[in-house]
C-alpha cells in the first residue's frame, strides 16, 4: 500500500494536546494509550481520505488511498470496541460527522460570508478533539484547542498560497471576495492577492490572541505543550504588503 500512496502523517500537535488533556485525569497508562491511539487513528483516516481528490489519476492510487483510510478507521473501531467504550465511540463518531459535513461545505465553496468559512475550517480541524474534551468534561480546553488548531491551519494555507501551491482556503476566499471573477488564484492582480492575504492575517491575529488568552485560563499546561505553542505562534509574522510585489 505504501508503494502507491503517501505515508500517513501523524499530527503530533493534536497528539500532544490529547496527552496533555489526559495528563490531569485519573486514567491508567493503558487507558491513555488506548484513547490516544484510537483518536489519532481516526484523525489519520480523515486526513488520508482528504488526499483522495489530490491523488494522481492512477486508479490504483485512488483506490488504495480510499482503502487506507478505511483501514485506519477499522483499527479505531477495533480498539474502542475491545475496550467496550461505546460512549467514546459515539462521541468521536459525532466529531467525524462534523468534520465531514464541514469538509463538504469548504470544498463546494458554498458560503454566505468569510466568517462562516472560517467557522467551517475551525470545525474541520478541531471537532474530533472537541468531542474528546466533551467526553471528559474538560470544557476549559475547548476554545483554546479550537483556536490553536485554526491558527495552525490558517498559517499552513497562507504558506501554501505564498509558495504558489494549491490552497483550499484561499480558493474559497477568492470566490467569496471576488465572486464575479473566474480567475485562478495565480491570475489575480497584486491588489487582489494583497486583500486575500490581509483577510487571512486578520483571522490569524484573532486566533493568536484567543490562544494566548486561553492559555492563561487553563489551570495546568505542561512545559512541553507550552514550548510547542510558543513555537507555533512564533512562526507567524504579519503580512507585509510588498511581499507579493517582490515575490
Amino acid at each position: 500500500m505504501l508503494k502507491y500512496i503517501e505515508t500517513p502523517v501523524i499530527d503530533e500537535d493534536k497528539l500532544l494536546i490529547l496527552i496533555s488533556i489526559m495528563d490531569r485525569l485519573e486514567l491508567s497508562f493503558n487507558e491513555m494509550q488506548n484513547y490516544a491511539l484510537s483518536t489519532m487513528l481516526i484523525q489519520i483516516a480523515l486526513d488520508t481520505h482528504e488526499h483522495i481528490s489530490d491523488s494522481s489519476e492512477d486508479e490504483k492510487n485512488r483506490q488504495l488511498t480510499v482503502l487506507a483510510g478505511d483501514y485506519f478507521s477499522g483499527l479505531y473501531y477495533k480498539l474502542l470496541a475491545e475496550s467496550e467504550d461505546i460512549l467514546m465511540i459515539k462521541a468521536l463518531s459525532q466529531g467525524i460527522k462534523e468534520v465531514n459535513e464541514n469538509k463538504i461545505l469548504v470544498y463546494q465553496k458554498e458560503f454566505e460570508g468569510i466568517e462562516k468559512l472560517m467557522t467551517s475550517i475551525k470545525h474541520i480541524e478541531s471537532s474530533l478533539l472537541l468531542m474528546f474534551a466533551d467526553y471528559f468534561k474538560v470544557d476549559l480546553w475547548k476554545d483554546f484547542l479550537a483556536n490553536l488548531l485554526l491558527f495552525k491551519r490558517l498559517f499552513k494555507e497562507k504558506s501554501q498560497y505564498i509558495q504558489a501551491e494549491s490552497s483550499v482556503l484561499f480558493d474559497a476566499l477568492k470566490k467569496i471576495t471576488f465572486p464575479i471573477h473566474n480567475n485562478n488564484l495565480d491570475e489575480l492582480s497584486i491588489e487582489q492577492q494583497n486583500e486575500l492575504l490581509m483577510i487571512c492575517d486578520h483571522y490569524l491575529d484573532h486566533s493568536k490572541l484567543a490562544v494566548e488568552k486561553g492559555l492563561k485560563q487553563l489551570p495546568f499546561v505542561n512545559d512541553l505543550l507550552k514550548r510547542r505553542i510558543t513555537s507555533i505562534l512564533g512562526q507567524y509574522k504579519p503580512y507585509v504588503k510588498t511581499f507579493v510585489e517582490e515575490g
Side-chain angles (χ1 to χ4, degrees):
M1 186 168 64
L2 295 179
K3 179 180 177 182
Y4 290 94
I5 69 171
E6 295 180 15
T7 303
V9 176
I10 298 173
D11 190 323
E12 294 185 358
D13 292 323
K14 290 182 179 178
L15 178 56
L16 178 56
I17 291 170
L18 286 174
I19 298 299
S20 299
I21 289 174
M22 291 188 290
D23 195 37
R24 304 296 288 179
L25 303 174
E26 295 181 359
L27 298 173
S28 68
F29 175 80
N30 286 337
E31 287 175 320
M32 290 179 66
Q33 185 180 52
N34 198 45
Y35 285 132
L37 279 172
S38 302
T39 308
M40 292 311 298
L41 278 168
I42 198 60
Q43 183 66 62
I44 292 170
L46 290 167
D47 293 343
T48 300
H49 278 152
E50 191 167 356
H51 290 148
I52 294 171
S53 61
D54 298 329
S55 63
S56 69
E57 296 179 359
D58 187 340
E59 183 66 13
K60 182 179 290 187
N61 180 294
R62 190 190 68 80
Q63 290 177 344
L64 285 174
T65 302
V66 173
L67 290 174
D70 292 343
Y71 172 68
F72 295 127
S73 294
L75 290 176
Y76 142 76
Y77 282 113
K78 179 177 182 293
L79 282 172
L80 287 184
E82 286 177 349
S83 67
E84 299 183 349
D85 199 333
I86 305 304
L87 292 179
M88 177 59 91
I89 291 177
K90 288 182 177 179
L92 292 182
S93 294
Q94 180 60 33
I96 295 167
K97 177 175 178 287
E98 290 187 13
V99 169
N100 287 329
E101 286 176 348
N102 282 281
K103 279 184 178 179
I104 291 171
L105 290 175
V106 171
Y107 278 96
Q108 289 182 345
K109 305 180 184 68
E110 296 297 333
F111 293 100
E112 296 176 3
I114 295 171
E115 194 66 35
K116 290 189 176 181
L117 167 63
M118 293 300 175
T119 298
S120 280
I121 294 291
K122 181 182 284 188
H123 283 311
I124 290 169
E125 292 303 311
S126 62
S127 286
L128 209 58
L129 269 64
L130 289 177
M131 292 300 111
F132 186 90
D134 263 343
Y135 178 82
F136 286 110
K137 296 179 173 57
V138 285
D139 292 346
L140 284 175
W141 280 87
K142 291 169 65 176
D143 282 343
F144 164 76
L145 71 86
N147 282 295
L148 178 61
L149 296 175
L150 173 63
F151 180 91
K152 265 194 68 179
R153 178 64 182 267
L154 293 181
F155 184 81
K156 176 185 176 183
E157 295 284 340
K158 178 184 174 182
S159 298
Q160 289 177 333
Y161 178 60
I162 289 174
Q163 294 166 17
E165 298 176 10
S166 63
S167 167
V168 173
L169 172 66
F170 276 81
D171 276 333
L173 279 177
K174 178 184 72 68
K175 184 171 182 180
I176 296 170
T177 310
F178 310 115
I180 63 173
H181 294 280
N182 294 320
N183 309 57
N184 294 324
L185 281 173
D186 57 0
E187 295 173 335
L188 295 176
S189 68
I190 290 173
E191 290 76 15
Q192 289 171 328
Q193 293 178 56
N194 287 340
E195 185 169 349
L196 295 185
L197 285 165
M198 286 187 286
I199 290 170
C200 185
D201 269 6
H202 169 75
Y203 285 92
L204 276 165
D205 289 332
H206 185 270
S207 56
K208 181 181 179 182
L209 289 173
V211 170
E212 292 170 340
K213 179 181 177 181
L215 191 58
K216 295 176 182 177
Q217 294 175 341
L218 289 174
F220 175 82
V221 179
N222 61 61
D223 289 339
L224 182 57
L225 182 56
K226 282 183 180 178
R227 290 196 299 269
R228 181 55 187 152
I229 293 168
T230 299
S231 175
I232 292 171
L233 299 182
Q235 297 176 66
Y236 168 61
K237 297 293 185 293
Y239 169 65
V240 178
K241 186 176 180 180
T242 57
F243 182 87
V244 172
E245 298 172 352
E246 294 174 356

